[in-house]
């Protein structure tokens, strides 16, 4: 009985969906076929792969996933791959795949509570702890031209683990502020905040609190080689008391303060746009927040 019902549902979907050489509609979503990208397999922004009977079932899978904005359908192998954003580069040649993306007017934004569109920009309400940021993976097609319409990306972490490391949600730039609300016990020799570039060999910023020498150091490192260090002759932090560390980025400097008291400025030696991760090590981290301009 269930098989009969499912076959009937598939038949209804096939009849109600409209097709053309360039697009097809599925409920309230319109999928555009981009034949120039057919015959390629993409892995970026991949969600899941399913076995499907036909193209209609494939786009219906995407319609049913609130994150999905793109499908690859292979009618020969009856495979269907779902993606949360359009992909236009990095594909590997694999015959049979057909490339379909949701129209820009229907694009679903990850972690967005609501999306209101007009002809020129997006007004997006992101869920708590997320900010709307332009990202390379947030592309869709308008008249066959890929547009970056952004995503809701996590920019606030509450009560993370003691040594907390996370990829940056978007490249840093002048005007970005890093806020670390944390406490140190004064027993461990080192606490730090560092911006990493491709691992630990390069740091765009390395800010370290040294309890053994009772100072705060600032430095950068390129390909394993440290630059000239700056230091503040006091740790400023009170053991086991939560303080608010702020690092504001300008075109040329890091403006560093604790509880609204200026400590010092550190020069930008490694382009902050190259940083891909931030790591924080304090005894207690109440909040890590990135405020993008």
């Amino acid at each position: 009985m269930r098989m009969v019902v499912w076959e009937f549902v598939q038949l209804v979907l096939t009849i109600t969906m409209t097709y053309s050489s360039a697009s097809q509609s599925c409920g309230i979503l319109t999928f555009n076929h981009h034949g120039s990208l057919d015959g390629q397999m993409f892995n970026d922004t991949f969600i899941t792969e399913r076995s499907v009977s036909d193209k209609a079932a494939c786009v219906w899978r995407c319609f049913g996933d609130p994150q999905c904005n793109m499908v690859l359908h292979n009618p020969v192998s009856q495979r269907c791959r779902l993606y949360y954003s359009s992909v236009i580069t990095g594909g590997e040649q694999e015959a049979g795949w057909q490339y379909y993306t949701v129209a820009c007017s229907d694009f679903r934004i990850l972690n967005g509570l609501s999306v209101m569109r007009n002809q020129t920009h997006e007004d997006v309400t992101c869920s708590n702890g997320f900010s709307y940021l332009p990202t390379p993976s947030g592309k869709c097609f308008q008249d066959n031209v890929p547009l970056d319409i952004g995503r809701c990306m996590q920019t606030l972490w509450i009560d993370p683990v003691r040594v907390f490391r996370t990829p940056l949600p978007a490249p840093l730039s002048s005007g970005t502020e890093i806020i670390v609300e944390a406490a140190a016990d004064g027993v461990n020799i080192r606490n730090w905040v560092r911006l990493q570039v491709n691992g630990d060999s390069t740091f765009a910023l390395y800010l370290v609190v040294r309890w053994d020498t009772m100072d705060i150091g600032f430095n950068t490192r390129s390909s394993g080689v440290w630059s000239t260090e700056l230091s503040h002759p006091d740790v400023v932090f009170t053991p086991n008391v939560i303080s608010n560390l702020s690092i504001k980025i300008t075109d040329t400097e890091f403006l560093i303060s604790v509880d609204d008291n200026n400590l010092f400025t550190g020069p930008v030696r490694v382009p902050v746009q190259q940083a891909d991760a931030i790591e924080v090590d304090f005894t207690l981290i109440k909040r890590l927040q990135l405020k993008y301009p």
Side-chain angles (χ1 to χ4, degrees):
M1 179 65 180
R2 290 182 179 178
M3 180 63 69
V4 173
V5 171
W6 173 238
E7 289 177 351
F8 173 75
V9 170
Q10 284 189 307
L11 176 61
V12 172
L13 293 177
T14 303
I15 294 173
T16 56
M17 293 178 191
T18 60
Y19 296 90
S20 72
S21 60
S23 66
Q24 65 185 52
S25 297
C26 180
I28 61 171
L29 296 183
T30 297
F31 289 81
N32 296 318
H33 181 201
H34 300 281
S36 63
L37 293 169
D38 283 354
Q40 297 185 67
M41 164 76 80
F42 296 92
N43 291 316
D44 289 348
T45 81
F46 174 69
I47 299 174
T48 188
E49 181 175 316
R50 305 281 186 175
S51 296
V52 297
S53 57
D54 54 26
K55 187 186 303 178
C58 184
V59 296
W60 185 256
R61 290 281 189 181
C62 187
F63 175 75
D65 189 313
Q67 297 184 354
C68 183
N69 288 295
M70 165 184 155
V71 300
L72 287 183
H73 175 245
N74 193 318
V76 177
S77 61
Q78 295 188 327
R79 295 159 65 194
C80 174
R81 291 170 63 87
L82 307 186
Y83 298 79
Y84 65 76
S85 183
S86 305
V87 185
I88 57 175
T89 60
E92 298 181 359
Q93 294 297 317
E94 186 171 326
W97 290 103
Q98 298 172 352
Y99 186 112
Y100 292 87
T101 59
V102 171
C104 288
S105 59
D106 294 330
F107 198 90
R108 278 94 62 88
I109 296 176
L110 268 68
N111 305 306
L113 299 179
S114 64
V115 181
M116 297 172 289
R117 291 182 168 86
N118 58 35
Q119 293 182 351
T120 58
H121 88 292
E122 313 263 334
D123 293 325
V124 180
T125 301
C126 297
S127 55
N128 187 39
F130 292 76
S131 300
Y132 182 65
L133 302 171
T135 66
S137 63
K139 296 184 184 299
C140 67
F141 283 87
Q142 183 73 46
D143 297 329
N144 289 322
V145 176
L147 301 177
D148 187 348
I149 66 170
R151 286 178 55 199
C152 288
M153 304 287 285
Q154 187 169 6
T155 55
L156 173 66
W157 297 265
I158 301 296
D159 296 325
V161 296
R162 172 182 177 142
V163 182
F164 180 65
R165 183 183 186 277
T166 182
L168 292 171
L172 301 175
S173 63
S174 177
T176 303
E177 181 181 11
I178 301 168
I179 299 173
V180 179
E181 189 177 354
D185 60 13
V187 176
N188 286 277
I189 296 176
R190 299 284 190 271
N191 301 109
W192 65 73
V193 177
R194 56 194 189 188
L195 294 174
Q196 299 175 317
V197 180
N198 295 325
D200 291 340
S201 65
T202 297
F203 295 138
L205 171 142
Y206 184 87
L207 186 70
V208 57
V209 180
R210 293 181 289 232
W211 293 94
D212 53 342
T213 56
M214 294 299 289
D215 67 346
I216 298 177
F218 168 90
N219 211 341
T220 58
R221 185 165 75 180
S222 296
S223 300
V225 179
W226 290 102
S227 188
T228 302
E229 182 180 276
L230 303 177
S231 65
H232 185 276
D234 186 0
V235 295
V236 180
F237 294 89
T238 300
N240 301 311
V241 174
I242 294 175
S243 295
N244 196 318
L245 169 65
S246 169
I247 304 170
K248 296 180 180 179
I249 301 173
T250 72
D251 289 333
T252 59
E253 295 176 317
F254 296 97
L255 308 179
I256 302 167
S257 63
V258 174
D259 295 330
D260 295 325
N261 297 312
N262 295 330
L263 291 185
F264 50 66
T265 61
V268 173
R269 297 170 178 148
V270 177
V272 294
Q273 295 83 357
Q274 295 180 7
D276 54 18
I278 184 170
E279 184 176 273
V280 179
D281 180 348
F282 272 84
T283 307
L284 175 66
I285 305 172
K286 292 297 296 179
R287 171 173 61 120
L288 170 62
Q289 186 171 10
L290 303 175
K291 292 187 175 181
Y292 286 84

